[in-house]
Amino acid sequence: MTTFITRRLAIGLVMLLALSVLVFILLRLAPGDPIDAYVNPTSPLSPEAMQALRERLGLDAPLPVQYFGWLRTAITGDLGYSIQRVGVPVLPLVMERIGPTLLLMAAGLIIAIVVGVAGGIISAVRRNSPTDIGFSVVAFIGISSPAFLTALLGLYFFSVQLRWAPSGGMLTPGMGFSMSDLLAHLILPACLLSIGHAALIMRYMRASLLEVLNQDYVRTARAKGVREFFVIVKHAVRNALLPVITLIGSTIGIAVGGAIFIESVFNWPGMGLLLVNAVETRDYPVIMGATLVIGACVIVVNLLTDITYAAVDPRIQVA
């Protein structure tokens, strides 16, 4: 297990390096100039002042020099300083926002897992029944609905029209922290984030459980007189969960993309909203730092998924 974890972490470091190179190149290919964030449109700077500012920020150096300069400091944990927020270090800014994003993603994934697994089990047990058909229709709608559309529709119906949930933010302005207030702001964006993942987990769980229910050991358990409830729960569900666990781990990256839309629509103070604001202002250090932290989180989650997969099925060797 130690060898496996070490090897996976080494691969993860190579992936992070490749990700940083890719993001750096894409940022430089994108139109616009980060210097614009410093310039007041009503009082533009002279060309000499613009050049001096560019030199101070290191944007006048060749691209390889800029990248390796950033990489050299990033290895030490220094991700530079924000261009938009003058003098603010990137790492504390990112770490301040990662908590709300993890909270939102964790709540959304928990809802997705519970709803998806339960719906998949019910759909498989009642195969080809009206319940199964209804669940399948709902799942297909959920899979085909993009995150930005569900976020906007959810905001309009549940916050604007029905007023069942707050329309944005993480806490009510002017009020002290309370768990009930946090949950009131969390429940709607978390449910909207979970829709696509719950639908996908439901379809995978249904297909996997149907395959397991046709295995010989399940028929043997039934022939021995084991109650159908225990046949499903004890013998079938555990083995049917194996591909679902892999699916859950692989959807973490997709959940990050969905969280960006959800946080933008609901003004949730997380990594997604930070990235959107950084892209709008061409804040290169914040974009690089946030992307690096998100990539590291995804790699760690995938590693934990592989370990969980091996724990659920002892036949799997991770060495």
Side-chain angles (χ1 to χ4, degrees), residues 216-274:
D216 291 338
Y217 67 86
V218 175
R219 287 194 289 266
T220 301
R222 286 170 172 163
K224 289 181 178 180
V226 179
R227 292 177 56 187
E228 186 67 15
F229 175 81
F230 292 107
V231 171
I232 300 297
V233 174
K234 185 177 180 180
H235 296 279
V237 169
R238 180 173 180 177
N239 291 303
L241 280 174
L242 295 178
V244 177
I245 292 174
T246 304
L247 172 68
I248 293 171
S250 63
T251 57
I252 298 297
I254 303 175
V256 172
I260 291 176
F261 290 112
I262 297 293
E263 290 182 8
S264 300
V265 172
F266 284 90
N267 198 31
W268 186 266
M271 294 282 287
L273 187 61
L274 177 66

Side-chain angles (χ1 to χ4, degrees), residues 16 45 59 92 109 113 133 145 161 168 174 180 213-214 232 252 307:
L16 283 179
L45 298 178
L59 297 175
L109 288 176
I113 292 170
I133 296 174
S145 300
Q161 294 295 325
S180 59
L213 288 175
N214 291 324
I232 300 297
I252 298 297
I307 296 175

Side-chain angles (χ1 to χ4, degrees), residues 66-100:
Q66 292 185 39
Y67 173 75
F68 285 108
W70 173 86
L71 181 62
R72 184 173 58 255
T73 58
I75 292 175
T76 65
D78 182 6
L79 299 179
Y81 292 85
S82 171
I83 294 178
Q84 180 189 18
R85 303 168 178 85
V86 182
V88 177
V90 172
L91 185 58
L93 184 63
V94 170
M95 298 309 295
E96 178 184 352
R97 297 295 190 96
I98 197 171

Side-chain angles (χ1 to χ4, degrees), residues 9 93-94 116 128 182:
L9 288 177
L93 184 63
V94 170
N128 297 329
L182 175 61

Side-chain angles (χ1 to χ4, degrees), residues 241-246 304-314 316 318:
L241 280 174
L242 295 178
V244 177
I245 292 174
T246 304
L304 294 177
T305 301
D306 290 340
I307 296 175
T308 304
Y309 196 92
V312 173
D313 189 352
I316 298 175
V318 296

